[in-house]
Amino acid sequence: MNAADFAADFAAAQWTRATGTGVDPHEYHRVTDALTSVADWGPSFVRTGEAYLERAEGAGSSVTAGEYLLTAARWFHLATLAPYADAARAAAAADRAVSQALTVLEPGARRVTGEGFTGRLRGPSDAPGTVVVVPGLDSAKEEFLDLVDALLARGLAVFAMDGPGQGVLAATSTLTPDYEQVVGRVVDALGVPRIGLVGLSLGGYFAARTAALEPRVAAVATVSGPFRLDWAELPEPVRDIMARRTGGADAAREFVRGVDLTDLAPRIAAPLLVVDGGQDVIPGVTNGEPLARLAPHGTYLSVPHGDHLLGNARPDWLPRLADHLTNTLIGARA
């Protein structure tokens, strides 16, 4: 396979993830059809993001400028999905673009940063509940803006975060197995008595683990989260990403060895919704059905045509997930 064909295959594999992030599908095709190799991915996506920054500067209203900035953030984040020497710069640009967008679109949004985390708290100060959104192995807070919007539309406050080894923090830290400690510090910083928690991809494991160990989690949902990982069976690209995010192959193997929710699942007291895609089949990954079965208050939603992160099936799970968190948190508050 030549470099152009490999780039085309890579772009096809990222299609639903990218469009699920919220970029225009036609523009995605225009950008990726021009790639001559995967090495072009990062620079091409950064250039597309920079074009939206220029549009924002020339926008005729603050709303339009803010929307362009959010689109820029999506492209900057997607630039980091392929190996890219300037991935840290792209992640920083994504973070900065969202900050600039919210300055004009949601002046009440505020940055909250602490040991091992950063993000923005959005939504009403008197919200009936607060949800923390946890990204996964190579995702970041900028990838799940549509999920945040769905929760905000239901009147909740939302804190979309990057933790150690994620997003804008990936250049200066590595993934931690004790993610519940990070979320505990987040809850302390937000100053709320309880939270809802949603984790996506590896973030689903982090969310389930945290729900088992952090008593202030009152509602939890996972999307494409692993129940267990097997290093020997994982595809080479996944192992490569894991090694980059944990600090090397040895650290990655040790991290993967600890990803097993068998003992923790029965300790999850909060109502739990587990969302899987029926087409999400990755060697070495046990999906979430055992988690839903072993958790005392687990519910399993499998979308037969859904792929990893179910970017091709948003209507089949996103409203239900948002309702689960909203209804559970309001009930818990009452």
Side-chain angles (χ1 to χ4, degrees):
M1 182 181 295
N2 62 37
D5 289 340
F6 187 79
D9 284 353
F10 184 82
Q14 302 299 324
W15 159 253
T16 61
R17 182 171 178 183
T19 55
T21 298
V23 302
D24 180 78
H26 304 288
E27 185 167 29
Y28 180 83
H29 277 310
R30 288 196 298 271
V31 172
T32 59
D33 286 351
L35 299 178
T36 59
S37 77
V38 174
D40 298 333
W41 177 282
S44 296
F45 278 56
V46 165
R47 285 194 298 271
T48 306
E50 290 171 342
Y52 276 98
L53 294 184
E54 293 178 3
R55 293 185 184 185
E57 290 179 359
S61 71
S62 60
V63 172
T64 298
E67 291 172 347
Y68 282 147
L69 287 164
L70 290 177
T71 301
R74 294 178 170 100
W75 283 100
F76 288 136
H77 164 64
L78 291 171
T80 70
L81 298 187
Y84 180 39
D86 285 333
R89 183 173 68 89
D95 179 83
R96 186 166 53 250
V98 170
S99 289
Q100 293 170 342
L102 295 182
T103 296
V104 296
L105 295 176
E106 297 178 30
R110 62 184 177 94
R111 167 85 70 169
V112 181
T113 298
E115 181 185 350
F117 71 87
T118 191
R120 296 166 195 82
L121 180 62
R122 300 170 59 185
S125 58
D126 60 348
T130 300
V131 177
V132 175
V133 178
V134 176
L137 177 59
D138 62 349
S139 55
K141 57 190 181 303
E142 290 81 21
E143 186 165 339
F144 305 117
L145 295 171
D146 62 336
L147 169 60
V148 172
D149 286 343
L151 297 169
L152 291 173
R154 286 157 173 78
L156 296 170
V158 185
F159 182 72
M161 64 178 283
D162 289 332
Q166 297 172 318
V168 74
L169 301 182
T172 57
S173 62
T174 56
L175 290 173
T176 177
D178 302 325
Y179 207 97
E180 71 280 358
Q181 297 182 15
V182 181
V183 175
R185 293 192 291 272
V186 168
V187 181
D188 291 341
L190 297 180
V192 294
R194 58 176 63 88
I195 61 163
L197 190 60
V198 54
L200 301 108
S201 193
L202 185 62
Y205 165 75
F206 290 143
R209 176 186 173 93
T210 299
L213 299 172
E214 169 54 68
R216 291 174 291 181
V217 176
V220 60
T222 69
V223 180
S224 297
F227 178 79
R228 185 187 299 112
L229 296 179
D230 182 340
W231 175 264
E233 298 296 327
L234 286 174
E236 192 66 29
V238 177
R239 285 190 281 179
D240 289 344
I241 298 170
M242 188 74 71
R244 290 199 300 270
R245 294 298 175 116
T246 58
D250 290 342
R253 278 191 292 269
E254 182 64 24
F255 182 92
V256 166
R257 190 175 298 118
V259 178
D260 188 337
L261 292 167
T262 302
D263 294 333
L264 289 174
R267 299 174 58 181
I268 299 175
L272 164 69
L273 176 65
V274 175
V275 180
D276 274 342
Q279 302 302 311
D280 183 12
V281 180
I282 302 174
V285 179
T286 301
N287 288 340
E289 188 277 332
L291 172 62
R293 176 166 38 83
L294 293 173
H297 307 288
T299 300
Y300 189 56
L301 173 60
S302 178
V303 180
H305 56 280
D307 55 14
H308 189 65
L309 289 173
L310 297 98
N312 65 336
R314 282 289 196 265
D316 297 296
W317 64 270
L318 182 53
R320 182 166 169 181
L321 181 145
D323 288 344
H324 164 76
L325 292 167
T326 304
N327 295 339
T328 305
L329 285 174
I330 292 175
R333 189 187 193 200

